[in-house]
Amino acid sequence: MGKRRPFASSSPLFFLKIEGNRGKMMKKKPQSIQQVSVKDFLSAVSFLREFLPAKDNRVVHFDVGSMHVVSEVKGARVDTGWKIGTTFAVPFDRLISALSVVSAQGVALIDLYLDGPALVWSGGPARGRITSVDHVEFPTIPKTWVELTPMFAIALKRASFVVTSREQWPMFHGVYWSRDGAFMASDGDRLVAVRTSPPVRSVRDGGVTVPDHLLRALSDSTVTHAQCSESDLWVRTASATAFGRLYHAEFPHARLAQIFDEFSEHAGAGDFTHVIIKPNQHVRALMQSIVTASESPLRAANVEVTARGVGVWCEGEYGEARVTIDGDVTGVDVKCRVNAEYLMEAMDQGCDHLYVTSRAIYFASDDRLFQHAVMLFVSR
């Protein structure tokens, strides 16, 4: 007898048998196939991605006509109109991987349908299935909403650049939105207040702090409506609904308002050295050279205001940098030290008026709708 060949998966008989079974399975027609635009799908999941937890439990949940994600502190739902099947959920990273594969083929549409406990997808030459996981319902959405003007998004963005996540300042983990339409924020070293005209009033009588986790998630979105529950701030865009869990720490809005009132009063009385920055200067590029030369973490820079303008310089381990920002100066010469990065970000806000005080460099628009203060290290 000849030597018996070991059974192997490359056997022609085995290969044909598997192919035959596979052919029968593929002929089984799904009950319903939903064709979805790959571009729209990617847009929806890109929005939802901002509301996912960083690591664990990254799951996207589907309902008839919508999809959503939820975490401990925030969540969002996108209205899609798609009818893929009954409620189900799949791992987010597996879904985004499938979409990326289809998108890379240049295919415009992706086919989706449920096959038992799995989501089956196909687009062009690519296809696959994602095993479903436990589905979680989206929280109950408010029935009534307060319509917001575009000024809400503008004011929120202008105030949010100083929001901090430092644990020692839990009251500053967001932007405070007051009932009279003011938006305030601080990181302990900087203060900012933006007043809206006409006022965009808070949805809560005592004001509410828009939490930092919701701010980050909505950074590229236009909010049109808002509402507040006992524990959450809810917002709506043209096609999505989102919420962020509120913090318990109380924002010291009355104290910040008092500080700005004092600054404004003294600035109006001519008590501070006043500089009007001249236009057509590359202020950010000038200040970036100072920031680069300054030493971390303090980024300390010297500021000297004279009749010639604002001189800024610093000396560090790797050299020094000096710049002069031209401006019309009213008042006495003054010297101080300040964080160079803070000063650059303040000038980025497009406010041409600055006042040097004994405590801070104070920026304000003519109508005081925008006010910002950068606290000094020391005053000389």
Side-chain angles (χ1 to χ4, degrees):
M1 295 178 63
K3 189 175 181 180
R4 180 179 296 177
R5 287 172 51 193
F7 182 76
S9 61
S10 58
S11 165
L13 179 62
F14 181 81
F15 180 78
L16 289 172
K17 187 175 182 180
I18 292 297
E19 282 298 294
N21 286 341
R22 182 179 298 172
K24 292 179 182 179
M25 289 176 64
M26 294 304 291
K27 289 179 181 178
K28 183 180 178 181
K29 187 176 181 180
Q31 293 182 351
S32 63
I33 296 179
Q34 175 71 63
Q35 278 197 329
V36 175
S37 161
V38 174
K39 180 180 179 181
D40 292 345
F41 209 159
L42 284 172
S43 176
V45 296
S46 295
F47 174 81
L48 293 176
R49 187 202 304 267
E50 303 301 321
F51 293 85
L52 284 168
K55 295 181 179 180
D56 299 328
N57 198 30
R58 293 169 60 85
V59 175
V60 57
H61 306 268
F62 288 81
D63 296 297
V64 177
S66 68
M67 54 193 295
H68 67 267
V69 299
V70 288
S71 69
E72 291 185 358
V73 296
K74 58 187 174 181
R77 189 187 80 171
V78 175
D79 298 323
T80 62
W82 308 332
K83 297 180 180 179
I84 302 172
T86 56
T87 57
F88 67 97
V90 293
F92 181 87
D93 296 321
R94 291 287 308 277
L95 179 64
I96 199 69
S97 176
L99 281 170
S100 299
V101 169
V102 175
S103 177
Q105 311 302 318
V107 179
L109 299 174
I110 183 172
D111 291 341
L112 303 164
Y113 67 90
L114 285 180
D115 181 18
L119 173 67
V120 179
W121 60 270
S122 63
R127 63 195 60 211
R129 52 193 294 126
I130 306 172
T131 303
S132 62
V133 295
D134 292 340
H135 177 271
V136 174
E137 295 289 338
F138 195 65
T140 302
I141 296 175
K143 294 181 179 180
T144 61
W145 294 86
V146 176
E147 186 174 0
L148 305 174
T149 67
M151 185 56 67
F152 172 83
I154 296 172
L156 198 64
K157 187 172 184 178
R158 290 207 74 183
S160 63
F161 76 99
V162 303
V163 170
T164 183
S165 58
R166 288 186 287 185
E167 293 183 1
Q168 64 266 41
W169 301 113
M171 72 289 288
F172 293 146
H173 290 184
V175 173
Y176 177 77
W177 177 20
S178 76
R179 189 59 179 165
D180 63 1
F183 294 75
M184 299 182 186
S186 176
D187 61 3
D189 299 320
R190 298 177 289 176
L191 320 173
V192 64
V194 181
R195 290 180 169 82
T196 53
S197 180
V200 182
R201 303 187 186 279
S202 169
V203 292
R204 176 179 282 183
D205 288 341
V208 63
T209 298
V210 182
D212 52 358
H213 45 260
L214 188 58
L215 285 172
R216 291 191 295 270
L218 293 171
S219 59
D220 296 324
S221 303
T222 301
V223 175
T224 59
H225 296 77
Q227 190 52 274
C228 197
S229 66
E230 185 176 346
S231 59
D232 304 302
L233 177 64
W234 287 83
V235 295
R236 273 174 46 189
T237 68
S239 60
T241 304
F243 72 90
R245 191 81 69 231
L246 297 176
Y247 290 122
H248 295 297
E250 184 176 354
F251 190 94
H253 58 94
R255 178 56 182 150
L256 264 65
Q258 180 184 357
I259 292 173
F260 279 124
D261 286 344
E262 293 174 358
F263 279 156
S264 181
E265 181 180 348
H266 285 289
D271 297 337
F272 303 144
T273 298
H274 178 205
V275 182
I276 303 176
I277 302 298
K278 292 182 178 179
N280 302 321
Q281 299 184 78
H282 300 289
V283 174
R284 181 174 180 83
L286 293 172
M287 286 304 306
Q288 184 63 61
S289 67
I290 301 295
V291 172
T292 302
S294 63
E295 294 185 355
S296 179
L298 294 181
R299 299 291 183 193
N302 301 288
V303 177
E304 182 176 13
V305 182
T306 66
R308 297 188 302 273
V310 181
V312 187
W313 76 95
C314 70
E315 299 176 355
E317 181 180 356
Y318 302 105
E320 65 179 59
R322 295 174 178 267
V323 302
T324 299
I325 300 170
D326 294 334
D328 296 323
V329 180
T330 304
V332 299
D333 293 357
V334 62
K335 294 181 180 180
C336 61
R337 296 180 72 237
V338 70
N339 183 301
E341 197 165 22
Y342 290 173
L343 187 59
M344 180 181 70
E345 290 179 346
M347 291 184 171
D348 269 350
Q349 302 307 306
C351 193
D352 298 331
H353 293 259
L354 64 88
Y355 304 81
V356 182
T357 81
S358 61
R359 290 186 292 165
I361 297 180
Y362 167 60
F363 297 79
S365 58
D366 287 333
D367 52 13
R368 297 298 190 269
L369 290 180
F370 176 80
Q371 299 178 86
H372 175 45
V374 180
M375 310 309 289
L376 303 177
F377 287 136
V378 294
S379 188
R380 301 184 200 172

